[in-house]
Amino acid sequence: MMRKIHLSTYLGIFITTFAALALLLIAGSLYVVLSTRLSSEFRDRVRAEGMQSFLQLDKELLHVENRVKELAMDNAIRVTLMLGAYNQVQERVDQLYASSDGDNFSVLIAATGTLAGQPPKTYPPLRIRELANLKVPFMEMRIDEENRLTFTYALPITRRNEMLGTAICVHHFGESGMPSKTVAEVYRGRLLYNHEGQIRDLISGQILETTTPAEAYDVFRTLSRISIGGEPGFLLTNRNFPQIVYFAPMSALTQAKMSVFRTIAVLSLLVLLTAALVSFYLSRKLGLPLASLSQWALDTAHRRDTGATNPGAAFIKEVDRLVFSLNLMLTNLKKAEELARYQELFNVVSDAVFINDSDGVFIEANQVTSEIFGYSWPELSHMKIRMLFPPESADHYCRQLQDSLENTGHDTMEAAFLTRTGILIPVEIKARKVVYRGRDVILSIVRDATKRKMAEEGLRESEEKYRTTFQSAPDPIIITDLSTSRFVEVNQGFCESLGYSLEETVGKTAAELELTVNPSTWNDLTAGIHKQGGVKGLEDRLRTKSGEYCDTIISAKPIRYSGRDCMVTVLRDISSLKKAEREQACLQEQLLHAQKMQAVGTLAGGVAHDFNNILQALGGYLHLLLHNESSETKSRLYLEQMEASLERAGDLVRRLLTFSRKMETTLNPVELNEEILQAVDMLRHTIPRMIEITTELADGLKIINGDGNQLVQMLINLATNARDAMPEGGRLLIRTENIAVSDGHDTDVPAGEYILLTVEDTGLGMDAETLRHAYDPFFTTKGIGEGTGLGLSTVYGIVKSHGGHITCRSEPGQGTSFAIYLPVLLQEGVRVRTVQPPRRQLQGGNETILLVDDEKAVLDIGQEALTSYGYQVLTAGSGEEALELYNRFLNRIDLTVLDLGMPGMGGYRCLEELLDITHEAKVIVASGYANNARLNHYRQAYNVSLMPKPYKVGEFLSEVRRLLDSTQTG
């Protein structure tokens, strides 16, 4: 609670505070004005004194220049210089221009390069010798070895066009004492100079600390407020002397401001003391009468005293009037006291309260009456109560009220009143006969029943809404008595979903209906209601009346229903969701399988690339040994067997690359029937005769876009698997037909035109688990050493590289059938590929070939093979090294053999930069795999050829000779 203070104290504090604030404002403003004036005058004086210092400095330097001019024009010196009497020059300078006030005068003799006169003490001799051939006047300010500022002025001494010498004067400011001495005695400041970003004293050379970088002092006649040597002050610069500044400390200004401040502070304290005394006097004169009146009012309130007050004489008229008003108020206080108590009780009621006489005329009414019915009290005072009833029912209500009051003296009834705006509101009326001011009246208390009526109506609507929602909910809903576990009510959704009628369900338990597969489900729901206040997401299977089952998720909450504790249970059928989850799990498994195939394919491609380089080196060495005529016959047989093994290893690598889809696939228009006949001809010589090979090749088979070699390999792999599945013999059928797949086809093949290639056998077949892993790389059911597990995975890779699709149907003991869909080439006028002519006999040459590979063994074999046929060979182990050699021997290199899979910049980038150097470059790309689209662009636009690894040395030499002999580009 805030602490109360006396009026006299309040007035004293207020007047004193006001006077202090006003005085503070006036004194502060006065100090600011005077301080600003003092600062302005001080700056003007500093500016004038600084300019005077700079004028004095300019005057001194002008005196030096004049003396040097006299020295340069001295006829005696010029004559002695012309006559070569250099000793007399020394005497003349010493006689007339002896050193004084820090000036060193001398003559630099052009003929000898020596100085005559007083040589400068600290001026660099080298700098003096630079003035020997001076053509124009020279002036310079610099710092000597003692960190003092020196001024050098020099003039040439000439006779017509002949250079006789140079007149020189070196002026030391520290020794002359001018103008620094004059400034220090006459003015308040000092002259300083700026040397390499440091401020130094002009006389002593002492470095002074400053708050501002010296590079900022380049404004002509501008005052800067800084601190030098720990003392604040003003700095003045001059355009004529950019390195020299004038600094005046602020000590005098600070002392003047402190004097003004002390004077204003003393005067302010005197004025403030006077104001405090005056405020104390006034507060006492006004506060004493008021304190007396307040004490009388307090005593009167406690004692209920009716005596008048007389606080004594007061010179304030308002105090006398206040005394008269208090006495009058005391007289009327008792009269109003009883009325106020009655009005307080009358108006505090939240209902409408009014009093009528026997004729129904309003005598009194509280404020609530006006608020409910909209009539003001002046209007009500001229009205009767019957005017509040509707006209058609006014007689009825008035007669009923009058009869009840005459019989019992009171009445309670419900009626309807009409407001001023014509709105009919329901009310509850309680009326009683009372005596008011000596006569019999009727006291009525009227309560607005609108909210109660609306609540009752809302309750009815809520019950109806609940009933509608409960019955129209699509999910089954059950209300169960917690004490008996019997169903109290079920909705229509329950009856429709589970097949029970309402009569068959109500009063039964879940166990009696055998509703849930798990008998403990309903007990778990009841336990969850008691322990956790509800159950959510409980899964179970429900049994319908017909005996069918459905997956359901169950949720339950406690509810108060019909005066007893119950449980509302909502059942949601999730059978379709469970089915979707099973389908999603199947799709997820397929996705994981596809990702596994992709990962293994990437691994296989990487392994195959490194294995290719190894096979390439081994094949090269075997080629060299086989072509060595001195080899023994038995050793040659062994070498041929090793070459055959390398061929099989190369075939394995090609399978890996085909599976990983990284082997180059050259697609051309192909007639599939011809490729099949070629493969069948090979198979008849390799497959046992107890296996019958039959073909059903359709006439008019459409053309596909494919690689004949890979298609033949695909058929051989399928036939090999079929052979292993028919150890006792059987039948192998190869069938082709044109087929159109529509959107409604039962396979995953997109709609379009295809050639359907079917390969069927009558072998052992595969079970579902084996069939699921049939295309997995390295998966095999054969024994160790009997298979690589790449047969079907290679078939899968070939089909996908042709844009096709493959399906398999197999059962144990029922054989296996592969259906391969190859898309038809829809272009018209296509030409089927022709067989390449046989390569000509190997030929050598004397051209220079650049061989690029990161495998040293491949480089050695390539170099050995090429040099054996007369070629000149350069080798490089990386793309960067290859480009360096190519730029060095640009006019000598005729062909480049380039590997793609190299570290560093790689083969593709190296190829691009080679072709940028010269578009006519001839390049053989040697790689196990290559990007078709990217490499085909270079093969079509430039002299670029592809040599797949591992290649035979003979094929490599033939391709080298072919490309060297070619003359066309692109």
Side-chain angles (χ1 to χ4, degrees), residues 29 156 256 310 582 727 762 774 809:
S29 300
N310 184 12
R582 290 190 291 270
T762 58
R809 177 179 53 80

Side-chain angles (χ1 to χ4, degrees), residues 430-450:
K430 292 184 179 180
R432 179 179 295 276
K433 284 186 175 182
V434 296
V435 177
Y436 178 71
R437 295 182 180 178
R439 58 174 177 169
D440 294 334
V441 296
I442 301 172
L443 173 64
S444 299
I445 301 176
V446 178
R447 175 167 296 174
D448 187 354
T450 303

